[in-house]
């Protein structure tokens, strides 16, 4: 048996065990549309956002603002299925401030207006990240003094958070600051400012919008290990120092070849620090073309990640990183991989969509997450 196959089978076993978390397992159900027969028309066609509302959970998607402007089917699904939206790119520093001091607010503003029209909350993504920085900053930063870079960073955070003040539910203040081995990422902010840039960023964001929930967001912290442990210790320290951090975002970019994480344990231990948690960028990629075994593993990835969130009361939102394979970031980022989303290339729902729908239908025993910000808006 190949190693790859062993990993897959291992991951399915984990998913099966996790099915016990919130009642019956839907991990292997992967029901096609017709499997909803017998459940009544309303249940079968119920949207993800309506089903999740029964337990106070927000279901979100990353939004491609170009597609939102040009593709009516994309708009309809975004409005009907989701109760939060995240700008996939439009709120990042590079797209927002391509020329120093000249902001391009329009795409992000249009998304915020769309969200308000559709009674959706907005996750702001993101304020500080080593990627997608403006070219002017990447060019100038190495020559800046620490004081100069600190001033530029503070201005960025203050300008952006102030612009959207009152309109953002959760901000990803700092994104991907850790390496997989648990050390801090050696980016320009760490090099010039030292680790204190992280606490400072949270303080500046809080000053600009005291009501926004402020999150640290990262990938590969779904699995217990060096990175998750390091982020855990770091946010524990931030809390102890009185830094205004409200939550931790688990990106949850899963891949069938790496098995499934012990996500519920990780969500719960961060929640036990007095933080909210969220799954912020869920997708489950696989090698193409998709085999039936891989598809089962994808179904399990969606099911287990949603069930983990449902089981933890402080898990206030579950966001997919785009809903349609037609617009997914995966094929251009991971060679030979794709099919990571819950709708296909033609924006038709895939088995993964029905897995989420079924898990939400079965989730009436999950703790209700009212009173911790989940119901705002
Ligand atoms: C990705 C977008 O999906 C792409 O369109 C863009 O080209 C690169 O960034 N982690 C994050 C997201 O926090 O911002 C990334 O989004 C995916 C990985």
């Amino acid at each position: 048996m190949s190693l790859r196959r062993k990993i897959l089978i291992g991951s399915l076993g984990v998913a099966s065990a996790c099915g016990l978390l919130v009642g019956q397992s839907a991990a292997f159900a992967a029901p096609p549309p017709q499997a909803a027969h017998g459940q009544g028309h309303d249940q079968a066609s119920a949207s993800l956002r309506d089903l999740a509302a029964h337990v106070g959970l927000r279901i979100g998607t990353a939004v491609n603002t170009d597609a939102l402007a040009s593709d009516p089917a994309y708009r309809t699904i975004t409005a009907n299925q989701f109760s939060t939206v995240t700008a996939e790119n439009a709120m990042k520093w590079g797209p927002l401030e391509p020329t120093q001091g000249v902001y391009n607010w329009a795409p992000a503003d249009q998304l915020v207006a769309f969200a308000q029209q559709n009674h959706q909350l907005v996750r702001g993504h993101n304020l500080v990240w080593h990627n997608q920085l403006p070219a002017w900053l990447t060019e100038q930063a190495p020559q800046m003094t620490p004081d100069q870079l600190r001033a530029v960073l503070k201005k960025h955070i203050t300008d952006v958070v102030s612009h959207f003040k009152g309109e953002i539910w959760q901000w990803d203040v700092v994104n991907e600051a850790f390496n997989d081995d648990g050390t801090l990422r050696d980016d320009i902010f760490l090099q010039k400012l030292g680790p204190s840039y992280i606490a400072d960023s949270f303080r500046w964001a809080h000053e600009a919008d005291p009501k926004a929930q402020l999150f640290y967001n990262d990938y590969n912290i779904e699995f217990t290990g060096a990175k998750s442990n390091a982020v855990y210790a770091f946010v524990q320290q931030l809390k102890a120092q009185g830094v205004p951090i409200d939550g931790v975002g688990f990106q949850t970019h899963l891949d069938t070849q790496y098995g499934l994480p012990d996500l519920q344990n990780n969500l719960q231990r961060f929640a036990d620090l007095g933080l909210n948690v969220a799954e912020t960028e869920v997708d489950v990629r696989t090698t193409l073309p998709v085999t039936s075994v891989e598809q089962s593993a994808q179904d399990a990835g969606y099911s287990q990640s949603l069930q983990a969130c449902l089981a933890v009361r402080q898990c206030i939102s579950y966001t997919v990183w785009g809903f349609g394979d037609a617009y997914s970031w995966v094929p251009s980022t991971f060679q030979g991989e794709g099919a990571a989303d819950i709708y296909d290339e033609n924006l038709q729902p895939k088995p993964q969509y029905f897995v989420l729908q079924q898990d939400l239908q079965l989730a009436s025993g999950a703790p209700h997450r009212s009173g911790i910000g989940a119901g705002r808006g």
Side-chain angles (χ1 to χ4, degrees):
M1 187 187 285
S2 73
L3 177 62
R4 188 173 144 61
R5 207 169 146 70
K6 269 191 209 149
I7 290 171
L8 274 173
I9 290 170
S11 73
L12 291 171
V14 173
S16 172
C18 284
L20 301 172
L21 294 177
V22 286
Q24 290 165 271
S25 170
F28 303 105
Q34 60 271 28
H37 285 165
Q39 295 178 353
H41 177 73
D42 288 348
Q43 277 249 312
S45 61
S47 68
L48 301 181
R49 69 180 288 177
D50 286 350
L51 290 168
H54 294 151
V55 291
L57 175 67
R58 293 279 175 162
I59 296 282
T61 182
V63 174
N64 175 325
T65 48
D66 292 337
L68 194 71
S70 64
D71 184 339
Y74 185 92
R75 269 179 98 78
T76 302
I77 296 170
T78 305
N80 291 348
Q81 295 293 333
F82 301 99
S83 50
T84 81
V85 290
T86 308
E88 183 174 0
N89 290 300
M91 289 188 192
K92 292 171 181 174
W93 196 340
L96 264 190
E97 196 186 6
T99 304
Q100 189 167 15
V102 182
Y103 285 101
N104 177 28
W105 299 116
D109 284 349
Q110 283 157 14
L111 177 61
V112 170
F114 178 90
Q116 289 169 352
Q117 280 156 21
N118 292 292
H119 310 289
Q120 294 166 318
L121 298 181
V122 181
R123 294 198 81 260
H125 176 83
N126 57 57
L127 296 169
V128 189
W129 189 29
H130 67 281
N131 258 335
Q132 291 181 277
L133 291 169
W136 60 264
L137 179 65
T138 308
E139 280 158 24
Q140 292 174 30
Q143 285 83 51
M144 289 181 190
T145 64
D147 281 350
Q148 285 170 332
L149 182 61
R150 190 176 293 105
V152 167
L153 183 62
K154 181 177 181 183
K155 180 175 178 349
H156 167 66
I157 292 174
T158 306
D159 285 356
V160 174
V161 177
S162 302
H163 178 84
F164 296 108
K165 185 176 180 185
E167 297 174 332
I168 303 294
W169 180 37
Q170 305 170 13
W171 263 116
D172 288 334
V173 177
V174 177
N175 195 37
E176 303 182 352
F178 279 82
N179 296 310
D180 280 348
D181 67 3
T183 57
L184 279 169
R185 186 186 294 277
D186 189 28
D187 61 15
I188 192 70
F189 304 113
L190 185 72
Q191 286 166 11
K192 292 271 173 181
L193 308 178
S196 64
Y197 83 88
I198 299 178
D200 284 343
S201 297
F202 278 90
R203 293 190 185 104
W204 296 326
H206 184 67
E207 275 168 27
D209 187 353
K211 290 191 179 154
Q213 293 201 33
L214 304 184
F215 274 64
Y216 175 79
N217 192 53
D218 214 329
Y219 62 90
N220 277 355
I221 56 172
E222 301 82 18
F223 295 83
T224 305
K227 184 172 189 175
S228 171
N229 292 344
V231 172
Y232 178 86
F234 193 83
V235 297
Q236 185 174 37
Q237 200 186 7
L238 291 181
K239 286 280 287 179
Q241 291 166 351
V243 175
I245 178 170
D246 301 291
V248 172
F250 294 67
Q251 291 186 6
T252 320
H253 291 293
L254 302 179
D255 184 325
T256 57
Q257 64 188 313
Y258 301 131
L260 297 179
D262 48 341
L263 188 45
Q264 189 192 342
N265 290 336
N266 273 300
L267 294 173
Q268 189 64 61
R269 70 175 176 146
F270 280 80
D272 289 345
L273 292 176
L275 293 164
N276 285 335
V277 292
E279 291 178 47
T280 54
E281 306 185 14
V282 182
D283 54 17
V284 188
R285 62 186 184 269
T286 193
T287 51
L288 299 173
V290 185
T291 65
S292 59
V293 175
E294 286 169 335
Q295 196 219 290
S296 295
Q298 290 183 298
D299 296 346
Y302 274 102
S303 182
Q304 189 191 327
S305 60
L306 177 57
Q307 290 191 29
C309 184
L310 284 166
V312 176
R313 192 182 60 84
Q314 296 87 346
C315 186
I316 59 175
S317 59
Y318 178 95
T319 296
V320 293
W321 200 243
F323 55 83
D325 288 337
Y327 296 105
S328 171
W329 73 302
V330 167
S332 58
T333 312
F334 303 94
Q335 209 185 2
E337 294 189 80
D341 291 347
I342 61 175
Y343 286 75
D344 67 15
E345 297 281 346
N346 300 311
L347 298 187
Q348 295 302 307
K350 289 165 44 179
Q352 290 85 342
Y353 170 88
F354 295 103
V355 162
L356 295 185
Q357 190 188 47
Q358 181 167 327
D359 277 345
L360 291 169
Q361 282 166 350
L362 295 172
S364 54
H368 199 280
R369 41 225 79 204
S370 60
I372 50 173
R376 182 177 144 188

